[in-house]
Amino acid sequence: MKRISLFLVLLLTVLVAPRASALTAKADNTVSYNENTSDNAFFAGNIVDVNSKIDGLGFTAGNSVIVKGKSDYGFVAGNSINISNYETKDLFVAGSTINISDTKVRAIYAAGNIITIQSDATTVYAGGNNVTLNGTYEDLYVDAEEFNFKGTVKGKLVINDDCKVNVEEGAKIATTETYKGTSKSDEDFQDKLSALVAFAIVGRIVSKVLHFINILIIGFLFILLFKKTVKKIENTKGGAGFIFAKFGFGLLALLFVPVLSIILLITGFASALGVISLVLYGLALYLGEIIGTLYVAKLLFSKMNNYLRYFLVLLILSVISIIPILGGL
């Protein structure tokens, strides 16, 4: 009993600690966050108000979004977006109505319906129905139906030739280049969109790496504390039928246990049992992965040390899990 208690404490420590050290996250209907953090940060909700100094990447998404403060790179998505008094290297924004003002930023990449930027930047890439800019820029790349400008472009303005352009008195544009309609996309803009896709892929890989580390540490603890159980797993024999039978039973449990637990919680009947079953369900997901990995490791590397073969098989499975479709299966 003492070993089980020790293992559960260590399990919770391993599950919580890596996430706390690598990520600050908050999601709710209304999110208000005004604390500084040394981690990457993710905020999501219906109404999101963030005023924080983030020593990492800052991700914010919601229906109505207000962002202030600082981050290494800023990623914001929503319906109504207001960004002000904000400092970042590059700012990526997508939404319906976008307002950006008083920011210290190197480059802005904005896509939306109505975009208003009242802030200086080195480069701005903006695509939308109505785009308004007021600031000092090196270069501007715009794709819009209507473009309103009051400010200074030291380098060049690149814009679609069917755009209605309104340049206010006093504005200065060194060079203007046009391209035909919106069929010719700006290569730099496309490169940045590709970079966003690449970033999403990298984020998936990073999450897999963190998960790999978690399961590796928990697995090592399992091997260390439960030697008899590990021995039973090693001595388990069975062919393809045995494996598929276990897989089928596990799949049924995976689908029906959470459904049953939620029903118990909603109806109020045996709600405590519903909470307990959800906790055990989450624990079983981790233990199931460990036990399955140990079983496969024994099949593939029967002569090898327990720790080493567990590490190798977990690494192989983690790499496979990144592959679309196959990884999910």
Side-chain angles (χ1 to χ4, degrees):
M1 185 66 185
K2 289 182 179 179
R3 286 194 302 171
I4 294 176
S5 300
L6 174 62
F7 180 74
L8 290 175
V9 171
L10 291 173
L11 175 63
L12 290 173
T13 302
V14 171
L15 291 179
V16 174
R19 283 165 173 75
S21 62
L23 175 66
T24 296
K26 191 172 184 181
D28 205 337
N29 181 59
T30 301
V31 174
S32 180
Y33 193 87
N34 57 7
E35 300 176 19
N36 297 333
T37 175
S38 59
D39 306 330
N40 297 324
F42 293 76
F43 305 103
N46 180 35
I47 300 174
V48 184
D49 188 340
V50 177
N51 186 357
S52 174
K53 182 180 178 181
I54 301 169
D55 189 13
L57 305 177
F59 295 82
T60 309
N63 179 36
S64 177
V65 178
I66 298 175
V67 177
K68 298 178 181 180
K70 182 180 180 181
S71 67
D72 286 348
Y73 291 89
F75 300 84
V76 184
N79 180 31
S80 174
I81 299 173
N82 287 279
I83 302 172
S84 63
N85 299 312
Y86 189 67
E87 180 178 348
T88 186
K89 293 177 182 176
D90 293 336
L91 178 60
F92 302 84
V93 189
S96 178
T97 302
I98 300 172
N99 290 288
I100 302 173
S101 62
D102 298 324
T103 60
K104 184 179 180 181
V105 60
R106 178 174 58 189
I108 298 174
Y109 307 88
N113 180 31
I114 300 174
I115 302 173
T116 303
I117 300 176
Q118 301 185 71
S119 182
D120 299 338
T122 302
T123 311
V124 173
Y125 301 82
N129 183 33
N130 187 299
V131 176
T132 301
L133 276 79
N134 183 358
T136 300
Y137 314 96
E138 291 293 331
D139 298 301
L140 293 181
Y141 298 86
V142 178
D143 190 321
E145 291 187 12
E146 182 176 349
F147 176 57
N148 306 295
F149 184 70
K150 180 180 180 181
T152 301
V153 179
K154 298 178 181 179
K156 61 183 178 180
L157 165 65
V158 180
I159 191 168
N160 51 302
D161 62 0
D162 57 350
C163 176
K164 180 182 177 182
V165 179
N166 302 309
V167 179
E168 295 190 19
E169 185 178 353
K172 298 179 181 179
I173 301 175
T175 306
T176 300
E177 297 180 11
T178 61
Y179 57 90
K180 188 175 181 180
T182 57
S183 61
K184 180 178 180 293
S185 300
D186 180 73
E187 293 181 1
D188 290 336
F189 188 74
Q190 291 299 324
D191 288 343
K192 294 303 179 180
L193 290 179
S194 300
L196 283 175
V197 175
F199 181 84
I201 296 174
V202 171
R204 176 175 171 81
I205 294 175
V206 170
S207 68
K208 289 295 182 181
V209 170
L210 292 175
H211 181 74
F212 169 81
I213 295 173
N214 282 335
I215 298 299
L216 180 66
I217 296 174
I218 297 171
F220 281 0
L221 290 173
F222 188 88
I223 295 171
L224 177 65
L225 297 175
F226 299 97
K227 292 183 174 63
K228 291 184 178 179
T229 303
V230 173
K231 195 67 177 178
K232 289 181 180 180
I233 296 171
E234 293 177 355
N235 295 332
T236 300
K237 297 180 180 179
F242 170 82
I243 294 174
F244 280 108
K246 293 296 183 182
F247 177 80
F249 178 78
L251 183 62
L252 289 175
L254 184 70
L255 296 175
F256 289 106
V257 170
V259 174
L260 179 61
S261 301
I262 292 173
I263 291 175
L264 291 174
L265 288 172
I266 293 176
T267 57
F269 175 74
S271 58
L273 181 60
V275 174
I276 294 173
S277 63
L278 283 176
V279 173
L280 293 177
Y281 176 78
L283 182 61
L285 289 179
Y286 274 92
L287 293 180
E289 187 169 355
I290 293 169
I291 293 171
T293 302
L294 286 170
Y295 182 74
V296 175
K298 175 63 177 178
L299 295 178
L300 296 181
F301 306 107
S302 58
K303 305 295 184 181
M304 195 176 292
N305 175 276
N306 260 335
Y307 293 97
L308 181 57
R309 66 189 180 195
Y310 177 81
F311 169 79
L312 290 176
V313 171
L314 183 62
L315 180 62
I316 293 171
L317 294 176
S318 296
V319 172
I320 293 175
S321 70
I322 298 175
I323 303 173
I325 301 178
L326 179 62
L329 178 62

